Amino acid sequence: MFTLEFFTGTEMTDIKKTQHEEWSSRFAFILAATGSAVGLGNIWKFPYITGENGGGAFVLVYVLCVALIGIPIMMAETLLGRRSRQNPVNTMVLLTEEAQADKNWHYLGWMGITAGFLILSYYSVIAGWASAYVLKAFFGSFFSADAIEIKGIFYDFIASPIQLIFWHTLFMVSTMWIVAQGVSNGLEKSVRFLMPGLCLLLILLVAYAMTTSGYFQGLNFLFRPDFSKLTPGSVLTAMGQAFFTLSLGMGSVMVYGSYLPKSVSIAKASIIIASADTIVALLAGIIIFPIVFTHNLHPDSGPGLIFQTLPIAFGSMTGGWLFGILFFVMLVFAALTSSIALIEPAVAWLVEGKGLTRKKACIWSGLATWLLGFGTIFSFNNWSTFKIFDRSIFELLDYLTANLMLPIGGFCIAVFAGWIMKPHHSEEELNLPKPSHHLWKILVCYVAPLAVFLVFLHVIGIL
Ligand code: PFF
């Protein structure tokens, strides 16, 4: 059975000698990787950035990015992990040596560690919001409340640093406690009920959204592309979101791939995970935008969007009290299974590179992430007017990681798997029929790196 333990010693000989656990089945891998992929990115981030970027055209670009860039890179990242059977840093050391490539490729592992740490610092704050909303749902705060009252509840909440600090702390302590144990069986099992449960609740909420007067307006907004609303910046955001939501470009998929038995098809697993992830995001959109238009809210309300819309549904639907509690509990769990994947590379580096015990590694990385989280907390209240490059600390962290670091990481992974690695090694790992392998090669060698590159050129104004 799977345990996310890492191995000490970075010497090449040690790397080769270490034995590695394997997933019990393809299903276990898919569950854990889906657990990492499905999180706040789907339910919190996708709707609000879709709202900010004008709807349909943005969604179309996002889906295209998942299919043409996300899936091939997910396959590449998984195959790198499975080939080396090591954590990201050791993977890059080992595979660089195998391909006799430049040692600078080692930095790819480090960038992933940094990105994970930066993302978790704000991810935990938002997961804290979701945790607080479990309690609000339990105490019936949304009962019969109208849109204005719900909005008031949200703004009062984020205006209070003390409350945000409390919930952020609670979430970080829970995450680090679980990571310190090594990912437990319990958590892997919890994904088994979490995913179906979350889907069931989402379908229920879709049924509710269908009864609202703004249903078709919501669907229109989400699915009818208006290309005049698409800017270079929103194309970059859509691409960044594809990486963020699939957990790509920072070595976390590499870690999961390293536990994958040889018999499992990487292509099939990647397609299943990406499809499940996209379906959850689209369902979230189908629920949220009808509520937005029914209650005259603004689609571009920003990070608070789901906290200002879903409680309206829970406050007015039959059984809303129970569904509200269940929904936010599941959202917290979904965030937890993603957070673990975010911090694991940093913990592994502290254990292997710095020789710390796993417990100490968790304490130090957790403490650093927790402290950095204050930047995000204050972005919503005391420091809301403090901007760097016209962005609050939260916005800056999000931009730096999702829009820059993950796509750059993904670009490097595609180039490494497509150009640097010996072709027969990737063929061996993917084990695809010739035409499918050919298609993957074209996507990973040309389409994905070129798309990332062109979007970057466009954003910095060169193209
Ligand atoms: N994919 C997660 C989400 O959509 O919420 C976020 C994430 C998790 C990104 C793990 C990166 C990662 F390594």
Side-chain angles (χ1 to χ4, degrees):
M1 205 55 196
F2 169 72
T3 50
L4 245 176
E5 293 292 347
F6 287 83
F7 306 96
T8 49
T10 43
E11 299 280 319
M12 288 303 296
T13 44
D14 285 351
I15 291 174
K16 276 174 188 147
K17 265 191 252 154
T18 53
Q19 39 140 228
H20 212 70
E21 303 251 358
E22 283 196 352
W23 300 98
S24 50
S25 64
R26 182 181 78 162
F27 187 58
F29 166 73
I30 289 177
L31 271 180
T34 312
S36 151
V38 174
L40 296 174
N42 307 64
I43 294 166
W44 160 74
K45 194 174 179 195
F46 172 74
Y48 96 74
I49 58 174
T50 299
E52 284 179 339
N53 288 280
F58 175 86
V59 174
L60 187 68
V61 176
Y62 158 74
V63 172
L64 283 176
C65 286
V66 168
L68 299 177
I69 306 176
I71 293 176
I73 293 184
M74 187 179 243
M75 289 167 63
E77 198 173 328
T78 314
L79 88 84
L80 296 187
R82 186 164 77 177
R83 177 130 201 104
S84 78
R85 303 215 158 265
Q86 297 295 329
N87 69 77
V89 174
N90 285 0
T91 293
M92 290 321 294
V93 172
L94 204 71
L95 296 185
T96 304
E97 189 168 273
E98 187 184 64
Q100 291 161 341
D102 193 292
K103 284 212 164 48
N104 280 321
W105 283 104
H106 296 183
Y107 290 115
L108 193 52
W110 300 115
M111 193 168 73
I113 288 173
T114 316
F117 157 71
L118 295 178
I119 293 174
L120 185 56
S121 79
Y122 69 80
Y123 203 85
S124 162
V125 174
I126 311 296
W129 295 3
S131 317
Y133 268 62
V134 173
L135 224 62
K136 290 190 195 302
F138 180 80
F139 286 115
S141 309
F142 314 136
F143 187 65
S144 294
D146 62 17
I148 301 193
E149 286 166 308
I150 297 283
K151 204 169 166 171
I153 292 174
F154 177 71
Y155 280 107
D156 284 349
F157 171 62
I158 61 164
S160 157
I162 293 293
Q163 288 194 56
L164 301 196
I165 291 170
F166 173 79
W167 292 106
H168 165 55
T169 308
L170 195 69
F171 188 81
M172 269 316 294
V173 170
S174 317
T175 302
M176 298 326 293
W177 184 79
I178 294 167
V179 176
Q181 320 289 311
V183 170
S184 66
N185 266 338
L187 205 86
E188 193 193 319
K189 283 199 192 106
S190 75
V191 181
R192 277 173 201 254
F193 75 79
L194 175 76
M195 286 302 141
L198 196 64
C199 281
L200 216 76
L201 266 181
L202 288 175
I203 290 167
L204 205 107
L205 286 167
V206 169
Y208 168 84
M210 286 168 91
T211 66
T212 61
S213 58
Y215 182 61
F216 289 104
Q217 205 183 343
L219 286 193
N220 251 335
F221 180 80
L222 199 59
F223 294 119
R224 180 166 293 169
D226 173 358
F227 290 100
S228 68
K229 294 204 174 123
L230 212 56
T231 62
S234 50
V235 174
L236 176 67
T237 305
M239 188 175 76
Q241 173 65 4
F243 282 97
F244 185 88
T245 192
L246 298 175
S247 311
L248 285 182
M250 52 151 286
S252 115
V253 171
M254 223 181 259
V255 172
Y256 282 15
S258 71
Y259 296 92
L260 196 61
K262 287 274 177 211
S263 56
V264 172
S265 158
I266 291 180
K268 268 192 209 150
S270 301
I271 292 171
I272 294 173
I273 294 160
S275 309
D277 187 80
T278 308
I279 290 170
V280 172
L282 293 178
L283 284 178
I286 295 173
I287 294 160
I288 282 152
F289 289 108
I291 303 176
V292 167
F293 291 111
T294 304
H295 295 275
N296 293 321
L297 296 165
H298 300 287
D300 58 352
S301 301
L305 189 66
I306 67 159
F307 298 97
Q308 293 173 49
T309 48
L310 291 180
I312 302 177
F314 298 131
S316 61
M317 70 200 278
T318 335
W321 176 78
L322 184 66
F323 294 139
I325 298 171
L326 282 178
F327 177 83
F328 285 112
V329 166
M330 287 192 179
L331 189 58
V332 173
F333 265 95
L336 214 47
T337 53
S338 299
S339 302
I340 288 157
L342 281 165
I343 200 65
E344 186 61 41
V347 170
W349 169 69
L350 287 174
V351 171
E352 291 165 12
K354 297 284 166 200
L356 262 64
T357 61
R358 195 170 174 84
K359 213 180 193 165
K360 278 205 176 123
C362 284
I363 292 172
W364 287 115
S365 58
L367 210 62
T369 317
W370 178 74
L371 274 177
L372 188 62
F374 281 62
T376 292
I377 288 176
F378 292 131
S379 299
F380 294 101
N381 36 65
N382 298 3
W383 297 348
S384 59
T385 51
F386 175 70
K387 305 264 160 158
I388 309 169
F389 297 122
D390 214 23
R391 291 188 164 86
S392 67
I393 296 178
F394 157 69
E395 288 164 343
L396 195 71
L397 282 171
D398 181 36
Y399 189 83
L400 190 72
T401 51
N403 289 19
L404 302 182
M405 292 173 91
L406 299 188
I408 292 172
F411 173 88
C412 295
I413 287 167
V415 170
F416 192 88
W419 295 96
I420 309 289
M421 212 172 173
K422 302 260 182 295
H424 66 275
H425 288 158
S426 58
E427 267 165 47
E428 215 175 281
E429 289 302 327
L430 290 180
N431 197 13
L432 286 170
K434 269 245 148 45
S436 310
H437 190 82
H438 232 76
L439 176 65
W440 175 76
K441 261 306 232 214
I442 293 170
L443 291 173
V444 90
C445 285
Y446 302 102
V447 178
L450 219 68
V452 176
F453 189 64
L454 291 180
V455 173
F456 273 125
L457 286 190
H458 210 60
V459 169
I460 56 176
I462 292 182
L463 202 73

